[in-house]
Amino acid sequence: MKLGADLTPIAKKYIEQSDVVFSCVSSGIVELWLEGLNSNFVSLQPLYKEGKSRLKTYKEMVDTILSSVSTGKNVCAAFYGHPGVFAWVAHKAIANAKQAGYFAKMIPGLSAEDYLYADLSIDPGRFGCQHYEASQLLLRKKEIDNSSFLIIWQIGVVGDKSLKKFKTGSKYREVFVKLLSNLYTLEHEIILYETAVLPIEETRVEKISISELIDAEVSLKTTIVIPPIKESLENINYQEQLKKVEQLANL
């Protein structure tokens, strides 16, 4: 996530030793840094266009990566954070390469989720965590447990079914708040979280109420963290079953 700081030794090795390195990071500074590791660097960022479906762009990225693979080159595709988290291109490129008979694998990295736990002092094992992409949560029926943390990704484009927008407005978030109001009070405190990527940036940890989300300033990288609003109920049935198991074990 952070420029240079989170790169694992093995990931750096692949970047440095590949015949060509593709990347679609959004920061020009990060691109310059990658080019410093490998001069055969190609940015995929120009494939993005305003009003163009992101899915079309992603497919073009996969085709570009695979076309280089088909020439016999050792190819590395570098992504920020974890390449398997909210990165359709990485998964698709690897799947297509393997299907075509090429060797391909993913090297894990630190994601925004990892930073979130550290920055907000959240232990996912204490209350449990549910993670959803904002539009997925809005458009598909999901069972939400409001006795655990609810982590909502990409609230900045919530409700965009066209995949052509880089931001949706307050009217979209108003619909989303209606969804949340079925599970929480409108006064329930939530956190707007954004991981710092560059050394000059600061981590955003802004506490607001759910009702204030409608007019809040959000972007593609804004994540919503909703703490539990109630305690989980004890599961008496299974507690009794465990007691019987323990009693038998002690005989």
Side-chain angles (χ1 to χ4, degrees):
M1 289 303 300
K2 283 187 170 61
L3 176 60
D6 298 331
L7 192 66
T8 63
I10 190 171
K12 185 179 180 183
K13 174 185 173 183
Y14 279 114
I15 292 173
E16 291 176 333
Q17 298 183 1
S18 294
D19 296 325
V20 58
V21 177
F22 291 100
S23 184
C24 57
V25 297
S26 58
S27 170
I29 296 176
V30 177
E31 288 188 344
L32 286 173
W33 174 75
L34 284 170
E35 192 171 7
L37 294 179
N38 191 319
S39 59
N40 298 313
F41 168 79
V42 179
S43 174
L44 298 174
Q45 195 67 21
L47 292 174
Y48 284 110
K49 301 291 182 184
E50 188 70 38
K52 177 183 177 182
S53 170
R54 289 192 296 280
L55 183 57
K56 182 179 180 180
T57 297
Y58 298 157
K59 289 179 178 179
E60 291 175 353
M61 289 179 176
V62 172
D63 291 342
T64 301
I65 294 169
L66 268 293
S67 65
S68 188
V69 172
S70 66
T71 65
K73 294 180 179 179
N74 290 316
V75 176
C76 175
F79 299 80
Y80 59 85
H82 192 301
V85 178
F86 286 91
W88 184 90
V89 174
H91 286 287
K92 187 64 174 175
I94 289 176
N96 286 5
K98 288 182 175 179
Q99 189 175 25
Y102 298 103
F103 170 79
K105 69 175 181 178
M106 182 181 292
I107 304 300
L110 285 173
S111 71
E113 178 186 350
D114 301 302
Y115 268 94
L116 185 152
Y117 294 141
D119 290 334
L120 303 183
S121 297
I122 292 175
D123 180 354
R126 185 180 180 190
F127 299 110
C129 280
Q130 290 182 291
H131 293 258
Y132 291 104
E133 194 275 336
S135 292
Q136 181 190 74
L137 184 59
L138 184 63
L139 301 173
R140 310 291 295 182
K141 290 186 176 181
K142 301 290 183 180
E143 294 294 330
I144 303 300
D145 178 10
N146 59 8
S147 67
S148 65
F149 279 93
L150 178 62
I151 315 296
I152 302 167
W153 302 87
Q154 297 184 329
I155 186 63
V157 288
V158 65
D160 175 30
K161 297 176 70 175
S162 70
L163 297 179
K164 293 182 179 180
K165 299 178 180 179
F166 290 93
K167 190 173 184 179
T168 53
S170 59
K171 292 296 182 181
Y172 289 82
R173 292 195 297 279
E174 186 175 346
V175 177
F176 191 77
V177 165
K178 288 181 181 179
L179 170 70
L180 295 180
S181 68
N182 295 318
L183 301 160
Y184 307 90
T185 65
L186 290 177
E187 295 75 31
H188 188 60
E189 186 176 80
I190 64 176
I191 301 169
L192 300 182
Y193 176 77
E194 295 177 10
T195 309
V197 177
L198 300 175
I200 59 174
E201 295 179 339
E202 291 186 4
T203 298
R204 181 185 184 186
V205 180
E206 181 180 352
K207 296 181 179 181
I208 64 171
S209 66
I210 287 179
S211 62
E212 291 176 309
L213 175 61
I214 297 173
D215 296 314
E217 185 61 38
V218 298
S219 67
L220 272 171
K221 65 179 182 179
T222 307
T223 301
I224 297 176
V225 179
I226 305 183
I229 195 171
K230 66 179 184 181
E231 292 186 5
S232 58
L233 299 176
E234 292 193 64
N235 199 332
I236 303 299
N237 179 37
Y238 286 100
Q239 287 186 25
E240 292 297 326
Q241 290 187 44
L242 284 175
K243 282 183 181 180
K244 293 178 181 180
V245 170
E246 289 173 353
Q247 289 170 355
L248 289 173
N250 292 327
L251 290 177

